[in-house]
Amino acid sequence: MNRIGKLVAVGVLLIQFGIWAVAASPAEAQVPQPAYGEGPGVAGAQPRAGEAPVAVTALPRTGFPPVDDHQWGQLDVVGVVVVLLAAVGAEALRRGRRLASRERRRASQSSRALIAFVGIAGALGLSTVLAPATTADAQACRISGPADAYAPTLADFGKGGEPYIFRNDSSYWDGRGYSFGFRRGDWESAIDNPWGAYLLGGVVIATDGEAASNDLKAAVRGWTQGWKPFEARELQNIGDEAYVVRRLTDWDAWGSSRMEEVFLAFRRCNASAQIYLGDMPWNGQRPMAEAMRYARIIDSHFGF
């Protein structure tokens, strides 16, 4: 039995012993106590038969004899013992409860410490596993210059309609980018070409993804300023962030037919690209799909 159980058992036994002592003690004669104003020595009291008169004394007004005249009996002793035993038993119970509470707190603290230790160990283990992967991903998602290495070429623009380069600018975007442009010399052939009548755009390298996102949004605002688009939305199937804006030209491309122009811009890691394509939306030609084709060429040059 542990220390707590012993203390509790002692307290219970002491209390039971006191109760048994009271039950086993002989009964004393119950002496009726005098009422207020009665009793020996009180003025006006009359002597009982066979008793001599008692001199008047100054007793307390309680009518009980002074403490010094009290005679201790067996019941008094037993009562004191009971009180002492009850006090000892109560103290034993109190200490037992206190020790039990202390043991519970100690066990609870041990449990919390164990849980905290396991949690810290798990977090350290998880961080050890994830840290190299996160670092590797950050290093892998890094595109370096020069920007012209990622641009589409005249071969990507395709043959037909006498294609040629009309823009080749390495100072684009304050020297952080490269701007390209292609046209077809034969306009009649150009408007029927499935890869577009003209194509221009740029590639910009930034310091990080946030800066590249700012470049992307600035390009969309700058290139489409003054447009009255029939579509402007985000794209989900190219790069890390992408937007497309489409409009019909305010001039006639062939007869009374207008050309569709598509501006598509996307960001991949710390680089952004812009595609500006014009083509006729007829004979099964799809300017939006053509712009997406050039965007995927650039993204493949990024390594994706």
Side-chain angles (χ1 to χ4, degrees):
M1 183 182 296
N2 56 23
R3 185 170 54 178
I4 299 172
K6 290 178 180 179
L7 287 173
V8 172
V10 169
V12 173
L13 288 175
L14 289 175
I15 293 175
Q16 289 179 344
F17 177 76
I19 296 172
W20 171 81
V22 173
S25 62
E28 290 189 16
Q30 299 297 319
V31 180
Q33 299 295 329
Y36 180 79
E38 298 180 355
V42 178
Q46 299 297 321
R48 296 177 182 174
E51 292 183 353
V54 181
V56 175
T57 58
L59 295 178
R61 296 285 295 175
T62 58
F64 291 94
V67 175
D68 291 341
D69 293 340
H70 181 70
Q71 301 297 320
W72 286 76
Q74 185 179 4
L75 185 59
D76 295 326
V77 175
V78 173
V80 171
V81 172
V82 170
V83 171
L84 292 176
L85 292 177
V88 173
E91 178 65 16
L93 289 174
R94 186 182 66 82
R95 292 197 178 192
R97 293 194 187 98
R98 186 169 59 186
L99 287 174
S101 177
R102 190 180 304 167
E103 291 295 333
R104 285 194 298 270
R105 286 198 303 270
R106 191 173 300 166
S108 177
Q109 290 172 355
S110 299
S111 299
R112 287 196 295 269
L114 179 60
I115 293 172
F117 175 78
V118 171
I120 292 172
L124 290 176
L126 185 61
S127 63
T128 303
V129 172
L130 292 181
T134 303
T135 304
D137 291 344
Q139 292 175 351
C141 194
R142 176 78 186 172
I143 297 173
S144 302
D148 61 351
Y150 309 106
T153 64
L154 185 61
D156 294 325
F157 187 54
K159 298 179 180 180
E162 303 176 4
Y164 66 94
I165 299 172
F166 78 92
R167 180 177 292 182
N168 180 19
D169 184 6
S170 296
S171 64
Y172 180 63
W173 214 275
D174 294 332
R176 294 193 289 112
Y178 170 75
S179 180
F180 56 85
F182 311 105
R183 285 178 180 158
R184 304 188 189 277
D186 183 353
W187 187 247
E188 184 175 351
S189 177
I191 59 177
D192 288 328
N193 193 292
W195 289 354
Y198 52 87
L199 171 68
L200 59 157
V203 178
V204 180
I205 307 297
T207 55
D208 53 37
E210 182 178 359
S213 180
N214 293 334
D215 291 341
L216 174 67
K217 295 178 177 64
V220 174
R221 289 192 300 268
W223 282 76
T224 62
Q225 185 176 8
W227 281 27
K228 296 179 180 179
F230 64 83
E231 182 183 37
R233 61 185 175 91
E234 295 185 23
L235 292 177
Q236 305 296 329
N237 54 352
I238 183 69
D240 300 318
E241 183 180 7
Y243 303 91
V244 64
V245 183
R246 302 167 65 188
R247 73 165 181 175
L248 293 176
T249 61
D250 54 3
W251 46 272
D252 294 331
W254 185 261
S256 59
S257 299
R258 297 184 178 185
M259 183 172 287
E260 180 179 332
E261 291 184 324
V262 179
F263 181 79
L264 190 158
F266 73 96
R267 175 185 67 83
R268 176 70 77 177
C269 304
N270 60 304
S272 60
Q274 306 123 28
I275 304 294
Y276 187 165
L277 176 139
D279 200 4
M280 296 299 292
W282 58 15
N283 297 332
Q285 295 170 199
R286 298 179 299 166
M288 178 63 196
E290 296 164 16
M292 182 63 74
R293 170 181 172 270
Y294 290 113
R296 294 198 185 283
I297 290 174
I298 297 175
D299 203 29
S300 68
H301 293 171
F302 285 152
F304 294 89

